[in-house]
Amino acid sequence: MAWNEPGGNKPRDPWGGGGGGGDQRPPDLDEALKNLKDRINNLFGGKGGGGGGGNKSSGGFPGGLLAVALVVLVVGYVLMGFYLVDQRERGVVLRFGEFNRMVDPGLNWRAPIIEQSMEVDVGQNRSYEISEEMLTEDTNIVAVTLEVQYKVLDPQAFLLRVGAPETILQHATSSALRHVVGSSTMDDVLRDRREDIRLLVRERLQEYLDRYNTGLVINQVVLDKTAAPEAVRDAFDDVAKAKEDEDRFKKEAEAYYNSVIPEARGQAARITEEAEAYKVRVVAEAEGDAARFTDLVAEYRKAPEVTRQRLYLDSLTEVFSNSSKVLLDAQGSDSLMYLPLDQMFKGKQPVSGDSGAANRGSGSGSSSSTTSSAGADDGGSGRSGSRSLYQSNRTEIR
């Protein structure tokens, strides 16, 4: 009898052995899906599925799974939109290929698929070097090496306005350099106006870049090397050296001129001032002497004898104050006194006619009380009397 035929005491399981206890049927797939749907609906606040009659879903994709999928897609879409812009960079956001906005460094967000972001390094110092031979205004050929240092100033213009901004920079550099060199002489390029040429090239190059709206800014232009063609370079080097020597000699001459002329003018001014001071002093002394003589004449007319005596004493005082003197008293003494006249008159010229006798180192006395020129008021007789007194009382040194 078949396992599902009516009759029999117990239902039979085709997968199991016969006569086992309980229901051994496999789980229903529809029932499992229904239970999963109910749990998801309960999780999101929905109601449990279906009344007691139906054991199967109403057909189609379960609503709970669709909601989970949508949430996962939204979260993934949002997370995919975050991106980081470096501190040295600036970002340009395009929406459907059209410029939308600029973004600053840091964490930013864009709508994936709809928007696109491009970053530009605006802090990088870029450089370009050109080295070419060019024709000058005086139909000479010079070799010029120029370096251009630049940065990105406007990211939007750099990315969107022109197709190849750095290629435009290269062509603009060559054009500006040729224009400036072609308007200058060879001597200007090689030596005389190098700085002016550098500034003119920078100004013209920046004008070209702004006109083409490249978004680039020139930081520095370095005129690295300028030289004559190889075939005549030695001759030009000799000429340049000779001109440098000429400039050096001129500067040395100017320096010497600037040092000598002020010194001579200072000496002339000093001599003039000294002469003026001497003139003032002499005139003042003469005027003083004249005034004193006038006063003296007036006094002399009032008292001739007193004035004459006073003039005599003033003259003696002036003479003896500037001469060396020795005072001796030889009366009443038999002792020998040694006078170091050589030390006393050292460096001085004697004014008395008795200096020869005094330098012989002889003489006697106890104290100085009489001058060797005493009695000079009555002429030569005073000096003769003093000499006789001294010679009569001297003691020879043996």
Side-chain angles (χ1 to χ4, degrees):
M1 181 176 61
W3 65 273
N4 57 351
E5 290 183 358
N9 296 329
K10 296 181 181 178
R12 297 183 180 182
D13 187 357
W15 293 282
D23 190 4
Q24 298 296 326
R25 290 180 301 175
D28 192 347
L29 180 59
D30 293 337
E31 185 69 22
L33 293 176
K34 178 179 178 298
N35 293 335
L36 178 61
K37 177 183 176 181
D38 291 340
R39 292 179 181 178
I40 294 175
N41 288 336
N42 291 333
L43 180 63
F44 290 96
K47 296 181 180 179
N55 291 331
K56 296 182 179 181
S57 62
S58 59
F61 197 78
L65 290 179
L66 181 61
V68 171
L70 289 176
V71 170
V72 171
L73 289 176
V74 170
V75 172
Y77 183 83
V78 172
L79 293 178
M80 288 175 58
F82 286 101
Y83 67 101
L84 187 65
V85 178
D86 192 76
Q87 183 65 33
R88 293 164 51 94
E89 299 177 340
R90 297 295 183 272
V92 178
V93 177
L94 306 178
R95 180 175 293 174
F96 298 111
E98 185 180 5
F99 174 77
N100 181 259
R101 65 184 182 276
M102 296 282 300
V103 295
D104 295 327
L107 185 62
N108 296 275
W109 187 85
R110 67 179 182 275
I113 302 175
I114 299 175
E115 295 180 342
Q116 179 185 3
S117 175
M118 295 183 294
E119 291 76 32
V120 179
D121 190 347
V122 297
Q124 178 184 3
N125 289 317
R126 310 170 187 230
S127 64
Y128 167 70
E129 184 175 288
I130 179 175
S131 180
E132 297 181 1
E133 290 188 356
M134 303 178 182
L135 190 66
T136 61
E137 184 181 25
D138 51 358
T139 65
N140 287 311
I141 297 177
V142 293
V144 180
T145 301
L146 184 76
E147 181 184 3
V148 179
Q149 300 175 4
Y150 64 97
K151 295 174 66 174
V152 177
L153 180 65
D154 186 356
Q156 179 185 355
F158 181 76
L159 293 174
L160 305 177
R161 296 296 174 85
V162 293
E166 294 184 322
T167 302
I168 294 177
L169 170 69
Q170 297 174 8
H171 294 313
T173 302
S174 178
S175 176
L177 183 58
R178 289 181 180 276
H179 183 277
V180 175
V181 172
S183 303
S184 306
T185 63
M186 188 172 189
D187 291 338
D188 293 339
V189 177
L190 295 180
R191 184 187 63 259
D192 297 339
R193 298 181 60 244
R194 287 172 53 91
E195 182 65 17
D196 295 338
I197 291 174
R198 184 186 70 83
L199 295 177
L200 289 174
V201 170
R202 176 178 179 177
E203 181 180 354
R204 182 171 291 273
L205 178 58
Q206 187 63 59
E207 180 182 351
Y208 289 163
L209 296 179
D210 295 339
R211 183 186 304 174
Y212 294 125
N213 203 6
T214 59
L216 300 176
V217 61
I218 303 300
N219 290 336
Q220 188 62 266
V221 171
V222 180
L223 191 59
D224 189 22
K225 182 180 179 182
T226 56
E230 188 68 29
V232 294
R233 185 166 298 176
D234 294 338
F236 274 96
D237 290 341
D238 293 338
V239 173
K241 184 178 180 181
K243 291 184 177 180
E244 291 176 358
D245 292 339
E246 178 185 4
D247 295 338
R248 178 170 58 84
F249 292 148
K250 287 182 178 179
K251 292 180 179 178
E252 290 177 354
E254 290 177 357
Y256 178 75
Y257 171 84
N258 294 330
S259 63
V260 170
I261 295 300
E263 182 179 356
R265 289 176 179 173
Q267 292 178 356
R270 179 175 57 81
I271 293 173
T272 303
E273 292 177 357
E274 291 178 352
E276 188 67 25
Y278 177 76
K279 171 187 173 182
V280 172
R281 180 174 60 83
V282 171
V283 171
E285 289 179 355
E287 292 177 351
D289 292 341
R292 185 172 64 252
F293 183 77
T294 303
D295 297 338
L296 186 60
V297 169
E299 295 296 329
Y300 182 80
R301 289 175 180 175
K302 295 178 182 179
E305 294 298 331
V306 175
T307 304
R308 187 184 298 110
Q309 185 68 21
R310 182 62 182 172
L311 290 175
Y312 176 75
L313 294 177
D314 290 342
S315 300
L316 288 181
T317 301
E318 182 179 358
V319 171
F320 281 106
S321 62
N322 296 322
S323 61
S324 300
K325 297 171 287 295
V326 177
L327 304 180
L328 296 174
D329 185 7
Q331 296 180 359
S333 175
D334 56 354
S335 61
L336 176 64
M337 180 178 63
Y338 170 73
L339 297 178
L341 298 181
D342 55 343
Q343 299 295 328
M344 295 173 63
F345 294 126
K346 185 177 182 180
K348 298 182 181 180
Q349 295 295 333
V351 297
S352 174
D354 301 333
S355 59
N359 286 334
R360 286 193 295 267
S362 60
S364 59
S366 59
S367 62
S368 59
S369 60
T370 306
T371 63
S372 60
S373 58
D377 52 344
D378 39 349
S381 60
R383 287 196 298 271
S384 300
S386 177
R387 185 183 302 109
S388 300
L389 179 63
Y390 172 74
Q391 290 177 353
S392 62
N393 292 283
R394 65 175 181 162
T395 306
E396 292 183 1
I397 302 174
R398 297 183 182 180

